[in-house]
Amino acid sequence: MSSDCLFCKIANGTIPANKLYEDDELLAFWDINPQAPKHFLVIPKKHLTGPGAVTSKEAGLVGSLIAKAGELARQQGIGDGFRLVLNNGIEAGQTVFHLHLHVLGGRALGWPPG
Ligand code: 5GP
Ligand code: ZN
């Protein structure tokens, strides 16, 4: 837990979020500023600053993160067309420095991304 981290505060319940899923390791909640009809975030409760901070030590956790994202996408009816996004660093658009996997779907998604 990092005391000034927004997503640590959501993970520990200090700040509310519209949750879809929670277990001991992971939390999924709807993005406050959705970029697609379905847009939610899946985070590890453990504080990691972003995908660039992931090491082989977190391989199992990151595997669980992706597996849960797919499972929730299927549950939300977007299993046949969704995008997973991990932004790393300001230049890539990262604004919250706690690892979070975006899950976007419910519309056609263009490529390349902006
Ligand atoms: P990033 O730009 O770091 O990849 O993504 C951060 C995401 O977190 C953004 O899509 C933003 O809308 C979302 N976000 C920021 N603050 C909050 C909040 O307080 N609650 C929720 N649910 N989402 C947030
Ligand atoms: Zn954090």
Side-chain angles (χ1 to χ4, degrees):
M1 155 90 190
S2 171
S3 58
D4 59 353
C5 170
L6 175 63
F7 287 177
C8 280
K9 288 178 182 166
I10 287 179
N12 71 23
T14 313
I15 290 179
N18 189 2
K19 296 177 187 177
L20 293 97
Y21 175 81
E22 181 165 20
D23 65 24
D24 288 347
E25 281 194 317
L26 303 175
L27 175 65
F29 53 95
W30 294 101
D31 197 290
I32 206 169
N33 182 24
Q35 301 302 312
K38 302 269 175 150
H39 182 183
F40 57 90
L41 306 173
V42 191
I43 69 167
K45 289 187 171 176
K46 175 179 175 175
H47 182 83
L48 295 160
T49 55
V54 171
T55 67
S56 55
K57 208 174 70 176
E58 284 89 31
L61 179 61
V62 172
S64 302
L65 190 75
I66 293 172
K68 188 53 68 180
E71 187 186 318
L72 293 172
R74 289 190 292 279
Q75 260 175 37
Q76 289 299 320
I78 56 169
D80 289 337
F82 64 91
R83 181 169 295 164
L84 302 182
V85 175
L86 289 169
N87 292 322
N88 191 82
I90 291 169
E91 200 166 350
Q94 188 178 8
T95 58
V96 178
F97 291 84
H98 179 126
L99 180 66
H100 52 280
L101 182 58
H102 294 261
V103 184
L104 299 128
R107 65 169 170 83
L109 297 163
W111 194 264

